[in-house]
Amino acid sequence: MNLNKIEVVGEHKHFQIREITDSGGYHRRVLTSDMDVSSEVQEIKDKAELEWTDEVKASWTKFQAEQEAKMEGGSNEGEQFGQSNFKG
Amino acid sequence: MSGLISSAGSKSGVIGQTEIDYEEGTWTPVFAAAGGANMGATVQGHYTKIGNTVFYSCIIEITSTVSGYGAVNLGGWPFTAITVTNNPARSRIAYKSSDGTLQGYHSLEGQVSGTNMRVSYWNQASGALNATSTRFPNGTVLYISGQYLA
């Protein structure tokens, strides 16, 4: 796949990566500032170096912790119910 | 809006006073226990984005069960979602076990937030509970579709 576009979005500077597949279609993925980009193409590495400051990384880490608390689900199933209860 | 979509699957146009973007393509779902390794071999993942709404579907076969107690997350999304508080979209997840028996007594569900979706189900007595990794042994096949705001 070949890199087609890097979109930097939001306060956490996520990279929305669009690539062109061998068949000519689009493939998408998102890179966040806690990810390892050492195996990415140089353009992505350069963008990460520029955009993902320590402040951005810290903000993203904090946001993730806050989101974890808000995520639906809350408790894990086995903490309150046995597996058989899952089937109702 | 009407027109042609090229093989790369992207277009924009105007409906009334509003400019609408359209794009379609593939993505690679990552189905993993929280903090753990990817459990799934993705069969396929597709998306269509119209304006700010991402419609998605994917099929995942579990090929590497993670034992333990962790909740399960689905990542690898094609676009960053807006935060959970403001994102009304839900996903419905049908799945069948390794012996081929469909276990859809309770539909699993999830809500995409940021770059992640926590897989959960609804229990009448206690509300939403996280589905844990042991729920998905090797051979389980998940069929996931839904939409979210990006």
Side-chain angles (χ1 to χ4, degrees), chain A residues 52-78:
Chain A
W52 291 350
T53 62
D54 290 342
E55 187 178 33
V56 168
K57 292 177 181 177
S59 176
W60 173 235
T61 300
K62 181 183 177 187
F63 176 82
Q64 283 183 295
E66 292 171 351
Q67 285 301 107
E68 182 70 19
K70 292 179 181 176
M71 275 280 183
E72 285 193 343
S75 301
N76 292 341
E77 56 180 324

mmCIF file of all heavy atoms in Angstrom, chain A residues 52-78:
data_model
loop_
_atom_site.group_PDB
_atom_site.id
_atom_site.type_symbol
_atom_site.label_atom_id
_atom_site.label_comp_id
_atom_site.label_asym_id
_atom_site.label_seq_id
_atom_site.Cartn_x
_atom_site.Cartn_y
_atom_site.Cartn_z
ATOM 1 N N TRP A 52 3.543 15.480 17.507
ATOM 2 C CA TRP A 52 3.350 14.773 18.781
ATOM 3 C C TRP A 52 4.351 15.256 19.825
ATOM 4 O O TRP A 52 5.326 14.570 20.154
ATOM 5 C CB TRP A 52 3.449 13.264 18.565
ATOM 6 C CG TRP A 52 2.291 12.711 17.774
ATOM 7 C CD1 TRP A 52 1.136 13.353 17.424
ATOM 8 C CD2 TRP A 52 2.194 11.400 17.209
ATOM 9 N NE1 TRP A 52 0.329 12.515 16.696
ATOM 10 C CE2 TRP A 52 0.944 11.321 16.545
ATOM 11 C CE3 TRP A 52 3.026 10.282 17.204
ATOM 12 C CZ2 TRP A 52 0.517 10.162 15.888
ATOM 13 C CZ3 TRP A 52 2.611 9.131 16.551
ATOM 14 C CH2 TRP A 52 1.371 9.076 15.902
ATOM 15 N N THR A 53 4.094 16.412 20.338
ATOM 16 C CA THR A 53 4.931 16.973 21.392
ATOM 17 C C THR A 53 4.652 16.240 22.708
ATOM 18 O O THR A 53 3.671 15.489 22.823
ATOM 19 C CB THR A 53 4.629 18.464 21.569
ATOM 20 O OG1 THR A 53 3.254 18.601 21.978
ATOM 21 C CG2 THR A 53 4.834 19.228 20.260
ATOM 22 N N ASP A 54 5.486 16.485 23.691
ATOM 23 C CA ASP A 54 5.255 15.873 25.004
ATOM 24 C C ASP A 54 3.904 16.296 25.562
ATOM 25 O O ASP A 54 3.218 15.518 26.236
ATOM 26 C CB ASP A 54 6.377 16.268 25.980
ATOM 27 C CG ASP A 54 7.692 15.602 25.624
ATOM 28 O OD1 ASP A 54 7.679 14.610 24.864
ATOM 29 O OD2 ASP A 54 8.740 16.075 26.106
ATOM 30 N N GLU A 55 3.529 17.519 25.284
ATOM 31 C CA GLU A 55 2.235 18.030 25.756
ATOM 32 C C GLU A 55 1.073 17.275 25.111
ATOM 33 O O GLU A 55 0.105 16.923 25.785
ATOM 34 C CB GLU A 55 2.138 19.525 25.432
ATOM 35 C CG GLU A 55 0.918 20.203 26.015
ATOM 36 C CD GLU A 55 0.895 21.698 25.694
ATOM 37 O OE1 GLU A 55 1.382 22.068 24.603
ATOM 38 O OE2 GLU A 55 0.401 22.465 26.519
ATOM 39 N N VAL A 56 1.175 17.039 23.821
ATOM 40 C CA VAL A 56 0.134 16.290 23.109
ATOM 41 C C VAL A 56 0.050 14.861 23.648
ATOM 42 O O VAL A 56 -1.046 14.335 23.887
ATOM 43 C CB VAL A 56 0.414 16.278 21.594
ATOM 44 C CG1 VAL A 56 -0.477 15.265 20.877
ATOM 45 C CG2 VAL A 56 0.209 17.661 21.005
ATOM 46 N N LYS A 57 1.189 14.241 23.839
ATOM 47 C CA LYS A 57 1.200 12.867 24.357
ATOM 48 C C LYS A 57 0.575 12.785 25.748
ATOM 49 O O LYS A 57 -0.204 11.880 26.040
ATOM 50 C CB LYS A 57 2.639 12.330 24.394
ATOM 51 C CG LYS A 57 3.252 12.108 23.024
ATOM 52 C CD LYS A 57 4.696 11.649 23.144
ATOM 53 C CE LYS A 57 5.317 11.440 21.778
ATOM 54 N NZ LYS A 57 6.752 11.052 21.859
ATOM 55 N N ALA A 58 0.926 13.743 26.592
ATOM 56 C CA ALA A 58 0.386 13.751 27.957
ATOM 57 C C ALA A 58 -1.122 13.964 27.944
ATOM 58 O O ALA A 58 -1.866 13.328 28.703
ATOM 59 C CB ALA A 58 1.074 14.832 28.776
ATOM 60 N N SER A 59 -1.564 14.840 27.063
ATOM 61 C CA SER A 59 -2.992 15.120 26.960
ATOM 62 C C SER A 59 -3.755 13.886 26.493
ATOM 63 O O SER A 59 -4.845 13.579 26.993
ATOM 64 C CB SER A 59 -3.217 16.279 25.986
ATOM 65 O OG SER A 59 -4.597 16.505 25.794
ATOM 66 N N TRP A 60 -3.197 13.166 25.539
ATOM 67 C CA TRP A 60 -3.837 11.957 25.025
ATOM 68 C C TRP A 60 -3.889 10.866 26.097
ATOM 69 O O TRP A 60 -4.892 10.175 26.264
ATOM 70 C CB TRP A 60 -3.094 11.468 23.781
ATOM 71 C CG TRP A 60 -3.555 10.135 23.242
ATOM 72 C CD1 TRP A 60 -2.789 9.041 23.010
ATOM 73 C CD2 TRP A 60 -4.895 9.759 22.861
ATOM 74 N NE1 TRP A 60 -3.541 8.012 22.512
ATOM 75 C CE2 TRP A 60 -4.830 8.425 22.409
ATOM 76 C CE3 TRP A 60 -6.110 10.426 22.857
ATOM 77 C CZ2 TRP A 60 -5.958 7.739 21.953
ATOM 78 C CZ3 TRP A 60 -7.244 9.739 22.419
ATOM 79 C CH2 TRP A 60 -7.160 8.424 21.973
ATOM 80 N N THR A 61 -2.822 10.720 26.853
ATOM 81 C CA THR A 61 -2.790 9.729 27.932
ATOM 82 C C THR A 61 -3.862 10.024 28.972
ATOM 83 O O THR A 61 -4.592 9.129 29.430
ATOM 84 C CB THR A 61 -1.405 9.719 28.605
ATOM 85 O OG1 THR A 61 -0.420 9.377 27.630
ATOM 86 C CG2 THR A 61 -1.355 8.711 29.742
ATOM 87 N N LYS A 62 -3.995 11.292 29.308
ATOM 88 C CA LYS A 62 -4.998 11.710 30.287
ATOM 89 C C LYS A 62 -6.405 11.460 29.746
ATOM 90 O O LYS A 62 -7.281 10.951 30.449
ATOM 91 C CB LYS A 62 -4.818 13.191 30.618
ATOM 92 C CG LYS A 62 -5.803 13.713 31.637
ATOM 93 C CD LYS A 62 -5.608 15.215 31.857
ATOM 94 C CE LYS A 62 -6.658 15.754 32.836
ATOM 95 N NZ LYS A 62 -6.586 17.232 32.936
ATOM 96 N N PHE A 63 -6.603 11.791 28.476
ATOM 97 C CA PHE A 63 -7.914 11.605 27.852
ATOM 98 C C PHE A 63 -8.311 10.133 27.843
ATOM 99 O O PHE A 63 -9.460 9.773 28.122
ATOM 100 C CB PHE A 63 -7.884 12.150 26.429
ATOM 101 C CG PHE A 63 -9.163 11.929 25.661
ATOM 102 C CD1 PHE A 63 -10.233 12.796 25.820
ATOM 103 C CD2 PHE A 63 -9.298 10.869 24.780
ATOM 104 C CE1 PHE A 63 -11.414 12.597 25.113
ATOM 105 C CE2 PHE A 63 -10.471 10.658 24.074
ATOM 106 C CZ PHE A 63 -11.533 11.532 24.242
ATOM 107 N N GLN A 64 -7.364 9.276 27.519
ATOM 108 C CA GLN A 64 -7.657 7.842 27.483
ATOM 109 C C GLN A 64 -8.108 7.325 28.843
ATOM 110 O O GLN A 64 -9.045 6.524 28.938
ATOM 111 C CB GLN A 64 -6.421 7.066 27.030
ATOM 112 C CG GLN A 64 -6.159 7.132 25.541
ATOM 113 C CD GLN A 64 -4.968 6.285 25.156
ATOM 114 O OE1 GLN A 64 -3.841 6.550 25.550
ATOM 115 N NE2 GLN A 64 -5.214 5.241 24.412
ATOM 116 N N ALA A 65 -7.449 7.786 29.885
ATOM 117 C CA ALA A 65 -7.813 7.363 31.241
ATOM 118 C C ALA A 65 -9.228 7.830 31.584
ATOM 119 O O ALA A 65 -10.016 7.084 32.183
ATOM 120 C CB ALA A 65 -6.814 7.919 32.238
ATOM 121 N N GLU A 66 -9.553 9.034 31.168
ATOM 122 C CA GLU A 66 -10.896 9.565 31.429
ATOM 123 C C GLU A 66 -11.945 8.785 30.644
ATOM 124 O O GLU A 66 -13.027 8.491 31.142
ATOM 125 C CB GLU A 66 -10.953 11.043 31.059
ATOM 126 C CG GLU A 66 -10.118 11.930 31.960
ATOM 127 C CD GLU A 66 -10.011 13.355 31.445
ATOM 128 O OE1 GLU A 66 -10.439 13.617 30.293
ATOM 129 O OE2 GLU A 66 -9.466 14.197 32.181
ATOM 130 N N GLN A 67 -11.618 8.462 29.385
ATOM 131 C CA GLN A 67 -12.561 7.716 28.555
ATOM 132 C C GLN A 67 -12.788 6.314 29.077
ATOM 133 O O GLN A 67 -13.892 5.776 29.004
ATOM 134 C CB GLN A 67 -12.049 7.658 27.110
ATOM 135 C CG GLN A 67 -12.210 8.939 26.350
ATOM 136 C CD GLN A 67 -13.666 9.374 26.266
ATOM 137 O OE1 GLN A 67 -14.090 10.322 26.908
ATOM 138 N NE2 GLN A 67 -14.448 8.656 25.487
ATOM 139 N N GLU A 68 -11.734 5.725 29.598
ATOM 140 C CA GLU A 68 -11.841 4.375 30.147
ATOM 141 C C GLU A 68 -12.914 4.328 31.236
ATOM 142 O O GLU A 68 -13.688 3.387 31.333
ATOM 143 C CB GLU A 68 -10.489 3.941 30.713
ATOM 144 C CG GLU A 68 -10.453 2.527 31.266
ATOM 145 C CD GLU A 68 -10.542 1.459 30.192
ATOM 146 O OE1 GLU A 68 -10.272 1.756 29.016
ATOM 147 O OE2 GLU A 68 -10.917 0.330 30.519
ATOM 148 N N ALA A 69 -12.949 5.378 32.019
ATOM 149 C CA ALA A 69 -13.924 5.444 33.111
ATOM 150 C C ALA A 69 -15.344 5.618 32.591
ATOM 151 O O ALA A 69 -16.313 5.196 33.220
ATOM 152 C CB ALA A 69 -13.566 6.583 34.040
ATOM 153 N N LYS A 70 -15.458 6.250 31.421
ATOM 154 C CA LYS A 70 -16.786 6.520 30.866
ATOM 155 C C LYS A 70 -17.306 5.389 29.980
ATOM 156 O O LYS A 70 -18.489 5.354 29.652
ATOM 157 C CB LYS A 70 -16.750 7.797 30.015
ATOM 158 C CG LYS A 70 -16.525 9.069 30.807
ATOM 159 C CD LYS A 70 -16.481 10.248 29.857
ATOM 160 C CE LYS A 70 -16.229 11.544 30.586
ATOM 161 N NZ LYS A 70 -16.103 12.688 29.650
ATOM 162 N N MET A 71 -16.401 4.498 29.579
ATOM 163 C CA MET A 71 -16.784 3.461 28.632
ATOM 164 C C MET A 71 -17.969 2.664 29.136
ATOM 165 O O MET A 71 -18.048 2.311 30.302
ATOM 166 C CB MET A 71 -15.626 2.492 28.390
ATOM 167 C CG MET A 71 -14.666 2.958 27.340
ATOM 168 S SD MET A 71 -15.305 2.617 25.708
ATOM 169 C CE MET A 71 -13.928 3.181 24.720
ATOM 170 N N GLU A 72 -18.849 2.356 28.209
ATOM 171 C CA GLU A 72 -19.971 1.502 28.561
ATOM 172 C C GLU A 72 -19.455 0.143 28.974
ATOM 173 O O GLU A 72 -18.428 -0.322 28.522
ATOM 174 C CB GLU A 72 -20.906 1.362 27.370
ATOM 175 C CG GLU A 72 -21.723 2.593 27.160
ATOM 176 C CD GLU A 72 -22.848 2.349 26.186
ATOM 177 O OE1 GLU A 72 -22.781 1.358 25.466
ATOM 178 O OE2 GLU A 72 -23.776 3.152 26.160
ATOM 179 N N GLY A 73 -20.225 -0.513 29.765
ATOM 180 C CA GLY A 73 -19.820 -1.835 30.228
ATOM 181 C C GLY A 73 -19.500 -1.794 31.692
ATOM 182 O O GLY A 73 -20.103 -2.482 32.487
ATOM 183 N N GLY A 74 -18.590 -0.937 32.081
ATOM 184 C CA GLY A 74 -18.248 -0.822 33.494
ATOM 185 C C GLY A 74 -17.593 -2.081 34.013
ATOM 186 O O GLY A 74 -16.439 -2.351 33.717
ATOM 187 N N SER A 75 -18.318 -2.880 34.749
ATOM 188 C CA SER A 75 -17.766 -4.092 35.336
ATOM 189 C C SER A 75 -17.595 -5.167 34.272
ATOM 190 O O SER A 75 -18.327 -5.217 33.290
ATOM 191 C CB SER A 75 -18.694 -4.615 36.430
ATOM 192 O OG SER A 75 -18.874 -3.651 37.431
ATOM 193 N N ASN A 76 -16.618 -6.052 34.501
ATOM 194 C CA ASN A 76 -16.486 -7.203 33.629
ATOM 195 C C ASN A 76 -17.519 -8.243 34.007
ATOM 196 O O ASN A 76 -17.889 -8.372 35.173
ATOM 197 C CB ASN A 76 -15.084 -7.792 33.730
ATOM 198 C CG ASN A 76 -14.046 -6.858 33.154
ATOM 199 O OD1 ASN A 76 -14.375 -5.961 32.388
ATOM 200 N ND2 ASN A 76 -12.797 -7.063 33.534
ATOM 201 N N GLU A 77 -17.963 -9.032 33.028
ATOM 202 C CA GLU A 77 -19.065 -9.959 33.264
ATOM 203 C C GLU A 77 -18.787 -10.946 34.389
ATOM 204 O O GLU A 77 -19.640 -11.205 35.219
ATOM 205 C CB GLU A 77 -19.395 -10.719 31.985
ATOM 206 C CG GLU A 77 -18.226 -11.460 31.381
ATOM 207 C CD GLU A 77 -18.621 -12.195 30.109
ATOM 208 O OE1 GLU A 77 -19.746 -12.694 30.057
ATOM 209 O OE2 GLU A 77 -17.821 -12.253 29.183
ATOM 210 N N GLY A 78 -17.592 -11.516 34.424
ATOM 211 C CA GLY A 78 -17.278 -12.540 35.409
ATOM 212 C C GLY A 78 -17.175 -12.019 36.824
ATOM 213 O O GLY A 78 -17.176 -12.782 37.785
#
